[in-house]
Amino acid sequence: MISGLINVIQVAGEGESVHRWRVAAGLAAAVGVAVAASACGATSDSTPATPGAGATGASSRTIRVVAAENFWGSIASQLGGAHVQVRSIIDNPNADPHDYEPTAADGRAIATADLVLVNGIGYDTWASKLVAANPAPNRIVLDVGQVLGVPDGGNPHRWYNPDDVNKVVDQLARDFATADPADASAFQTQKATFENRTLAGYKQVIADIETRYAGTPVGASESIFAMVAPALGLDLITPSAFLKAISEGTDPAAADKATIDQQIAQKKIKVYVYNSQNATPDVQSQVDAATATGIPVTTITETMVPATSTWQDWQTRQLVALRDALAKATSR
């Protein structure tokens, strides 16, 4: 047990390929709690909550779900309904999932979960390390990056990609049915309701933007928007290297900044979209320039705002604001 803890702490100290990881101290504390919970027989993974769960004729159960981020947690909660209990670790709009330092309570929650939902793709490595620190044969781990086949180094903001969200919804429904076979039909019903009714407004705005504004050149501050722009039919012409640099907290190339300055000055873009949770000096300079030039500016956020929102309401509000900005830009 002690050697396993030392190994995890050593892993926590390794360099990361994405952003500024400062999780070692918090991870050590959280791992300690997780290991202690395991030693006390507290993990639900090794002792199913309902005897016979997973076997033919199994009784209904409440699936304990831990999501690393609340945008995935919101979707899981709506798909599972009364059959799941969801705890989202990142549920504060001011918290940066990249730099998050896990607590002892986080380790305890993951240690006793029936299903853990992580984004992966180098985005929330702290969560994956907590899972690895407390292995349990019956726990289900849904790693979004693995489901989608996106390796570390790829764009991690998959909750902005409508097709990717659909694939995660499919996998969640299957995983819920595996964890609670007695309610498999209920999960399929809730999945159909979520896709066809709950997301109807979200899908309508996407279709409306594509129908009206397909091919419109736009600019953005980081790679979050690159996940949804193709579904909207918009032509995102900001250099991809700049988008990635801002997302990962590295310095963008001077040539890319010069290109964007020219795009704004010459009004080659109709709308500028920026992440208001990550307005670096370079980004703020572009926002100011776009505003001064008369280019409409609209915002998106990396995490849900407000935290009490649902994933689809949050996304829909942002898309409506973008549609309004596009309408303003193209009506001149």
Side-chain angles (χ1 to χ4, degrees), residues 108-130:
R108 198 158 43 237
I110 286 179
T112 57
D114 300 308
L115 186 151
V116 177
L117 174 54
V118 301
N119 189 77
I121 322 177
Y123 187 75
D124 47 12
T125 304
W126 53 269
S128 298
K129 287 175 179 175
L130 285 181

Side-chain angles (χ1 to χ4, degrees), residues 169-191:
V169 166
D170 289 342
Q171 187 61 51
L172 264 174
R174 287 192 292 268
D175 286 346
F176 284 160
T178 298
D180 178 14
D183 293 310
S185 61
F187 296 128
Q188 286 303 313
T189 298
Q190 287 166 189
K191 174 178 175 289

